[in-house]
Amino acid sequence: MDLLNTLVDKGLRRALPSREEALAVLATTDDELLDVVAAAGKVRRQWFGRRVKLNYLVNLKSGLCPEDCSYCSQRLGSKAEILKYTWLKPDEASKAAAAGVAGGAKRVCLVASGRGPTDKDVDRVAQTIDAIKSQNEDVEVCACLGLLSDGQAERLRGAGADAYNHNLNTSEATYGDITTTHTYADRVDTVQKAHAAGLSACSGLIAGMGESDADLVDVVFGLRELDPDSVPVNFLIPFEGTPLAKEWNLTPQRCLRILAMVRFVCPDVEVRIAGGREVHLRSMQPLALHIANSIFLGDYLTSEGQAGKADLDMIADAGFEVEGADQVTLPEHRAGGCGSVCGSEAAAAEPQAPGEARTDLVAVRRRGAGTDLAPNA
């Protein structure tokens, strides 16, 4: 396909595709899917070889959130029967993180529900970072605490945080349909604060919320403009008890096209397969490794993932290798950041037909942080 040859050429040069080209990736047929994966794989291997970076989530505070994000099981008014607990103590969080590191994780992501941290919360997280790094000095620590106030990103950087995650989630045009208690601009501001403080910016999206192809392209182009180092691609987990519980819009093929589009638009960043991969990619997960170079190991914030050993076996069986602590994830040129420009406008492709609801694959987390049971790592 001329389209794919063009996208590979642009990806190898870090050139931005046009919106029309990005939309065309999402509109490819199932007969063309393996060609799309192979093309995205060429770009992935150019910048990341066959390495897969493992990340591990520690949910520092579960539930009890005042925000109304429709996709979230921890939202205000959620009836999802998730674990609910207040802040883990630093030694508890460090113990949870150690399980992920022992399983091969290179980065630990410290997440807390809520609108954003108070200064006391930042102090608490600083103590947690110190506890983790005193036991595992080489581990990367990414904080994900919500909207940041002035000076908080700098304090987290001074405490030893390496990165900050705050996802855009969906397009600016549809953001108000998903969340009303804060804005798309608020999220952009927090990513910019993290960047300015010298933290590695991590920002991604959630697919499967009923958005159009144009919305997906919009949010990914918005991410490219923000220039994060890592882009997590979440696939909506439709928790019972949340407003989006009936949104089963994804198929494995659709997920692969979305990942490929993200790779072509953001060729040299860490593209991470995040929440929902087991639910929506299912047996197609190994193919996704040819596009993305990063995954979460084990469980997520409020749902269970597949066994950590199964993740490691999948990586090995697919012919990839786990990235070591002594290996640098990003290409050398990204150390100083690289700018981006936006492409031309194009019409939206038709939304995909909904997939079959697989509620049997949604398992609420009952182990690890906040419980007396061993974590999955």
Side-chain angles (χ1 to χ4, degrees), residues 88-123:
L88 296 181
K89 295 178 180 178
D91 61 329
E92 294 172 325
S94 179
K95 183 178 179 181
V101 174
K106 181 175 177 176
R107 172 174 288 189
V108 171
C109 304
L110 302 176
V111 187
S113 62
R115 179 177 177 84
T118 65
D119 287 341
K120 181 179 179 181
D121 293 335
V122 173
D123 290 339

Side-chain angles (χ1 to χ4, degrees), residues 87-204:
W87 290 92
L88 296 181
K89 295 178 180 178
D91 61 329
E92 294 172 325
S94 179
K95 183 178 179 181
V101 174
K106 181 175 177 176
R107 172 174 288 189
V108 171
C109 304
L110 302 176
V111 187
S113 62
R115 179 177 177 84
T118 65
D119 287 341
K120 181 179 179 181
D121 293 335
V122 173
D123 290 339
R124 194 192 320 262
V125 173
Q127 294 171 13
T128 299
I129 294 171
D130 182 66
I132 291 171
K133 292 209 168 189
S134 67
Q135 299 296 318
N136 303 279
E137 60 180 352
D138 293 330
V139 73
E140 298 174 8
V141 174
C142 178
C144 178
L145 312 174
L147 300 172
L148 293 175
S149 301
D150 290 344
Q152 291 184 328
E154 287 78 6
R155 290 178 59 200
L156 288 167
R157 182 74 180 111
D162 300 283
Y164 195 84
N165 166 262
H166 200 60
N167 296 328
L168 296 187
N169 290 328
T170 193
S171 70
E172 184 172 14
T174 59
Y175 198 85
D177 298 332
I178 299 297
T179 304
T180 67
T181 47
H182 59 267
T183 66
Y184 180 93
D186 291 332
R187 287 186 170 267
V188 169
D189 178 67
T190 285
V191 177
Q192 291 173 334
K193 281 184 168 70
H195 229 326
L199 292 165
S200 177
C202 174
S203 187

Side-chain angles (χ1 to χ4, degrees), residues 334-347:
R334 287 200 64 83
C338 59
S340 306
V341 294
C342 289
S344 59
E345 293 294 318

